């Protein structure tokens, strides 16, 4: 990968943007040979957009349309054209709280990843930390995975475990899980950018760790 042709990320988020900040910090420390081409959010006043502006990263709010949990077809097309225009190699979902089903997954087939605050396949979907506490598990964690048409169901790239403490609330547990997320997400992106991630069926292999 030459410096004239960097590996470009398009980061999509709806919330606080702490994963964007961790990824961007890892890039700035030159721990990962990539650049953030664009940050896109479906929430106009989201913190992720403020963080992007503060870090001088190209960013854009795109109105999500009429649905609450997904993008309508016309809107998804705008997301796709924005990401294509930014010459994105990898779409990185970082707290993007809408289900992607159609155009975007087609346009970036095998090139969309997500981070989820549980050890998938346990506790997919919303309120993963509350689900973990309700179930009573002693360990949960964070998962980076490829995105497919299901909910948090694509092939797993990496995971890290986090213990559940007796006095945990969903918030305290989520804060500890986020520390793990901030470590494994930049690592997974670096591995993908470096061509080190191989996929065979549902299993993925990272060559540098074998
Ligand atoms: C992260 O903890 C991520 O795992 C979660 O949203 C948070 C976003 O935090 N994603 C999901 O729950 C997706 N199912 P951030 O905006 O601070 O990066």
């Amino acid at each position: 990968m030459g410096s004239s042709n960097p590996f470009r990320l398009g980061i999509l988020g709806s919330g606080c943007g702490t994963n964007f900040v961790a990824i961007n910090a890892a890039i700035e420390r030159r721990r990962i040979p990539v650049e953030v081409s664009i940050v896109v959010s479906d929430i106009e006043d989201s913190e992720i957009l403020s963080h992007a502006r503060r870090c001088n990263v190209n960013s854009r709010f795109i109105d999500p349309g009429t649905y609450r949990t997904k993008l309508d077809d016309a809107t998804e097309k705008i997301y796709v054209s924005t990401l294509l225009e930014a010459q994105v190699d990898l779409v990185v979902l970082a707290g993007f709280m809408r289900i992607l089903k159609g155009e975007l997954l087609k346009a970036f087939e095998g090139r969309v990843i997500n981070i989820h605050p549980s050890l998938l396949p346990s506790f997919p979907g919303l309120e993963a930390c509350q689900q973990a506490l309700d179930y009573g598990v002693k360990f949960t964690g964070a998962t980076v995975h490829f995105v497919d048409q299901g909910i948090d169901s694509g092939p797993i790239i990496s995971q890290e475990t986090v213990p559940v403490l007796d006095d945990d609330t969903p918030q305290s547990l989520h804060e500890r899980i986020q520390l793990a997320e901030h470590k494994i997400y930049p690592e997974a992106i670096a591995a993908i950018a470096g061509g080190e991630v191989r996929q065979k069926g549902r299993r993925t292999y990272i060559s540098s760790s074998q």
Side-chain angles (χ1 to χ4, degrees):
M1 192 186 333
S3 57
S4 58
N5 189 22
F7 188 90
R8 297 192 180 94
L9 308 181
I11 300 187
L12 270 54
S14 309
C16 298
T18 64
N19 277 287
F20 159 69
V21 170
I23 293 162
N24 199 54
I27 291 170
E28 282 179 355
R29 288 196 303 270
R30 296 187 192 283
R31 276 195 18 241
I32 59 179
V34 304
E35 70 177 34
V36 181
S37 212
I38 190 164
V39 171
V40 180
S41 182
D42 57 331
I43 308 279
E44 195 162 16
D45 60 354
S46 57
E47 285 181 61
I48 190 169
L49 287 180
S50 310
H51 283 305
R53 285 191 289 268
R54 188 176 46 75
C55 298
N56 292 318
V57 169
N58 178 27
S59 63
R60 186 163 164 201
F61 159 68
I62 302 179
D63 192 312
T66 47
Y67 297 116
R68 220 168 40 85
T69 57
K70 60 177 187 174
L71 302 171
D72 59 42
D73 290 350
T75 308
E76 197 158 341
K77 282 200 175 94
I78 300 172
Y79 273 73
V80 170
S81 59
T82 302
L83 293 165
L84 289 174
E85 234 166 71
Q87 299 184 294
V88 161
D89 295 301
L90 182 70
V91 179
V92 175
L93 306 184
F96 189 65
M97 301 313 267
R98 285 173 190 272
I99 299 159
L100 301 172
K101 282 198 182 284
E103 294 292 321
L104 203 146
L105 293 185
K106 243 185 273 157
F108 291 92
E109 197 184 346
R111 295 187 294 139
V112 184
I113 61 172
N114 181 43
I115 189 141
H116 183 75
S118 76
L119 293 176
L120 290 170
S122 294
F123 316 132
L126 296 175
E127 299 186 9
C129 295
Q130 184 69 60
Q131 291 186 57
L133 293 175
D134 289 347
Y135 198 93
V137 291
K138 299 296 183 191
F139 289 90
T140 180
T143 302
V144 179
H145 64 94
F146 286 111
V147 175
D148 64 10
Q149 296 237 339
I151 294 180
D152 300 321
S153 56
I156 289 168
I157 301 164
S158 64
Q159 294 186 300
E160 184 158 309
T161 54
V162 173
V164 178
L165 306 181
D166 289 347
D167 59 355
D168 261 332
T169 62
Q171 291 72 27
S172 65
L173 181 55
H174 191 213
E175 276 168 26
R176 280 205 317 291
I177 290 173
Q178 285 211 304
L179 298 178
E181 292 186 343
H182 300 162
K183 177 171 158 269
I184 65 172
Y185 218 7
E187 285 172 357
I189 290 165
I192 292 169
E196 293 161 13
V197 176
R198 197 165 47 84
Q199 196 184 331
K200 200 172 171 206
R202 280 210 53 90
R203 298 193 64 184
T204 66
Y205 305 88
I206 301 182
S207 51
S208 61
S209 66
Q210 286 179 336

